[in-house]
Amino acid sequence: MGSAGTDSDASPGPPAPATLALPASFKWGVSSAAYQIEGAVAEDGRGPSIWDLFGRQQGRIANGDTGDVACDHYHRYREDVALMRRLGIKVYRFSVAWPRVLPQGHGQANSLGLDFYDRLIDELLGNGIEPWLCLYHWDLPQALDDLGGWQNRDIALWFADYAALVARRYSDRVRHFATFNEPNVCTLFGYGMGWNAPGIANRRSFLQAAHHVNLAHGEAVRTLRTLAPGALLGAIHNRQKCLPISAAPQDAVAAGILDACWNRLYSDPQILAEYPPELVDGVQEFRRAGDMARIAQPIDWFGLNHYCPIYARADQGPLGFAWADAPHDVPLTGVGWRIDPAAFRDELIAAHRRYKLPIYVTENGYGANETLDAAGGVNDGGRIAYLHTYTKALAEAAASGVDVRGYFLWSLLDNLEWGAGFASRFGIVYVDYATLKRVPKASFDWFAELIRAQQK
Ligand code: FCB
């Protein structure tokens, strides 16, 4: 998302972690996604995912990077959980790779793949960390894409079967399940704009995929309720304010359409049982009688991912908007994303008012193109400054009455940042991709201290 901007790492010195006015039960954690960290893509019977094939196409992932090895978390998860323990977190959100546990997407399960998540969950629990399991963080089995992927309505049932497998296997130890991570990104970028796997750029395909994702969400919630009756179920939505790139009235219209596609196309049907008015005609041809009731299953929590406001400009193409990079006269992260903590606070307040569910911030963090310094560390003052102001904004939202119960930082480790590849680093632990060595950055100690300060 967006182009590289100026790195704002030249801050005068890291602010000390503040004590934030948050409830004692507030949970601090980190988030990850299978494809971005696991590697071992051809090991122990894992089937290919759409990202494996996408990454092999020329120019899809910067620098020709792939998830083949990534952070090698598949083999190094013990070391990574040890880092989490050292950090002092109590919750960890990860995703299961659908093609690792169901190489064909449906049918025969892969017991060696299932074993991996047993090991990971047990390791987390053994270290006093609660596992939060997300079913879908974009790595669709290629075998299902060959059948039409999210454009095939049958996928709602394949997804429910996958949810059943996961619930039967792990719900004795996992209490929090999420269906989708950021359905907006995997459908808009994957089917509407062609930036993400499977690389389709077509408005109709996008809205078809969106409706089927919503149906799959509802079917999975229903399945999880039956098979994991004590579990707390949620969905993770990326909410960002959508701004026009200029004062031109057409850009304001474009920003409104982007807002419908980005902020409302999933959470509104899933929670309020209605499609945004701007898109209701577009999804109509894919809807069948009873769909809205199937989609709008009650859930227990709202996962909110937030990084920055995003920008739109008017466009004659079918989507009705074009993506615009943030202007350069506002503060930017090292990867060109706008820094605006008040926007974070406002999104928390807006989501609380609109959906009336307990909120967990399931992603927030800072990206930069970092290298090790002469002393072999990373003094990431820009990230610390960002986290300092964003966690304060979080506390402001809580003080204004938002029922926010946790914050999962993105991310523990640097990892494969989708199309941006490995150069775009979001970790509080630096990963040297040549050796796979993990080097905690200054922000790691800062975040550990913040968590400790909260517990005093
Ligand atoms: C979010 C994704 C996550 C990561 C962060 C930086 O949109 O959910 O996988 O790429 O952005």
Side-chain angles (χ1 to χ4, degrees):
M1 190 166 68
S3 63
T6 26
D7 199 326
S8 55
D9 273 348
S11 55
T19 307
L20 304 167
L22 291 165
S25 58
F26 194 85
K27 292 181 193 296
W28 296 95
V30 293
S31 281
S32 71
Y35 192 68
Q36 294 180 274
I37 61 169
E38 281 180 6
V41 291
E43 220 168 304
D44 292 341
R46 178 187 178 276
S49 82
I50 53 174
W51 273 93
D52 296 304
L53 274 86
F54 190 70
R56 279 172 187 51
Q57 294 170 24
Q58 182 75 27
R60 294 298 204 176
I61 300 187
N63 217 8
D65 292 339
T66 73
D68 290 1
V69 177
C71 306
D72 196 31
H73 173 76
Y74 189 74
H75 299 110
R76 294 167 198 250
Y77 66 94
R78 281 201 184 85
E79 184 183 347
D80 296 336
V81 174
L83 283 166
M84 294 178 209
R85 184 190 180 121
R86 191 172 133 194
L87 188 59
I89 59 169
K90 288 285 175 277
V91 285
Y92 173 56
R93 169 171 80 99
F94 66 98
S95 74
V96 168
W98 188 348
R100 197 178 287 291
V101 299
L102 283 165
Q104 294 301 311
H106 60 146
Q108 186 63 43
N110 175 27
S111 63
L112 291 178
L114 289 163
D115 289 349
F116 169 67
Y117 299 104
D118 277 333
R119 291 195 294 278
L120 173 63
I121 290 166
D122 292 345
E123 188 72 14
L124 288 162
L125 292 171
N127 282 280
I129 300 167
E130 250 179 59
W132 287 44
L133 187 158
C134 177
L135 287 169
Y136 192 75
H137 202 128
W138 312 351
D139 46 356
L140 183 70
Q142 181 59 41
L144 296 185
D145 187 60
D146 294 342
L147 301 175
W150 291 106
Q151 291 185 260
N152 184 334
R153 190 178 162 95
D154 290 344
I155 201 165
L157 300 177
W158 298 330
F159 189 70
D161 287 348
Y162 161 53
L165 174 74
V166 167
R168 286 201 179 94
R169 180 81 173 210
Y170 307 119
S171 62
D172 58 335
R173 286 156 292 159
V174 175
R175 197 156 168 252
H176 293 85
F177 291 88
T179 54
F180 285 84
N181 175 77
E182 299 187 358
N184 56 356
V185 173
C186 62
T187 54
L188 182 62
F189 288 2
Y191 292 83
M193 294 162 81
W195 292 353
N196 278 13
I200 297 169
N202 180 298
R203 180 175 190 265
R204 185 174 177 274
S205 301
F206 156 54
L207 292 172
Q208 186 176 35
H211 184 63
H212 295 156
V213 162
N214 283 332
L215 262 184
H217 160 85
E219 293 297 340
V221 169
R222 220 155 49 141
T223 304
L224 289 164
R225 285 276 179 238
T226 311
L227 296 175
L232 295 170
L233 311 181
I236 297 168
H237 299 285
N238 177 346
R239 283 188 66 94
Q240 337 233 74
K241 191 184 284 178
C242 298
L243 298 171
I245 194 66
S246 81
Q250 314 83 279
D251 287 344
V253 173
I257 301 170
L258 176 60
D259 178 61
C261 296
W262 193 264
N263 290 321
R264 290 177 278 129
L265 178 57
Y266 306 87
S267 43
D268 277 13
Q270 292 177 14
I271 302 170
L272 308 176
E274 63 191 26
Y275 272 108
E278 297 89 335
L279 299 170
V280 76
D281 290 346
V283 289
Q284 189 52 37
E285 65 170 303
F286 309 113
R287 275 168 66 169
R288 298 204 189 143
D291 276 5
M292 294 316 283
R294 287 172 68 192
I295 291 170
Q297 300 294 316
I299 55 171
D300 305 304
W301 52 274
F302 187 99
L304 189 149
N305 292 358
H306 179 90
Y307 290 89
C308 54
I310 55 177
Y311 290 87
R313 77 171 79 252
D315 190 75
Q316 299 307 313
L319 286 173
F321 67 85
W323 194 269
D325 286 344
H328 288 278
D329 57 354
V330 297
L332 299 175
T333 69
V335 293
W337 295 9
R338 180 167 176 182
I339 300 173
D340 184 358
F344 178 41
R345 180 200 59 212
D346 294 349
E347 286 306 328
L348 286 163
I349 294 172
H352 167 74
R353 291 198 180 133
R354 191 169 182 85
Y355 301 115
K356 303 181 174 49
L357 284 168
I359 295 176
Y360 291 90
V361 175
T362 33
E363 280 184 32
N364 174 243
Y366 176 100
N369 306 120
E370 296 157 316
T371 48
L372 290 177
D373 60 25
V378 181
N379 195 3
D380 51 342
R383 179 171 293 105
I384 292 173
Y386 176 99
L387 295 173
H388 179 73
T389 55
Y390 274 69
T391 49
K392 274 172 70 177
L394 168 80
E396 280 166 31
S400 78
V402 175
D403 180 8
V404 55
R405 300 186 182 181
Y407 174 95
F408 296 68
L409 187 150
W410 184 273
S411 190
L412 180 73
L413 303 175
D414 291 339
N415 57 56
L416 183 78
E417 179 48 23
W418 308 110
F422 292 117
S424 185
R425 294 174 179 269
F426 278 81
I428 52 174
V429 175
Y430 181 88
V431 176
D432 178 340
Y433 292 106
T435 61
L436 295 167
K437 190 169 175 231
R438 278 84 165 126
V439 182
K441 303 177 190 176
S443 58
F444 180 96
D445 295 328
W446 183 90
F447 192 49
E449 187 46 49
L450 174 82
I451 297 170
R452 263 196 300 276
Q454 289 310 114
Q455 284 155 0
K456 279 178 193 151

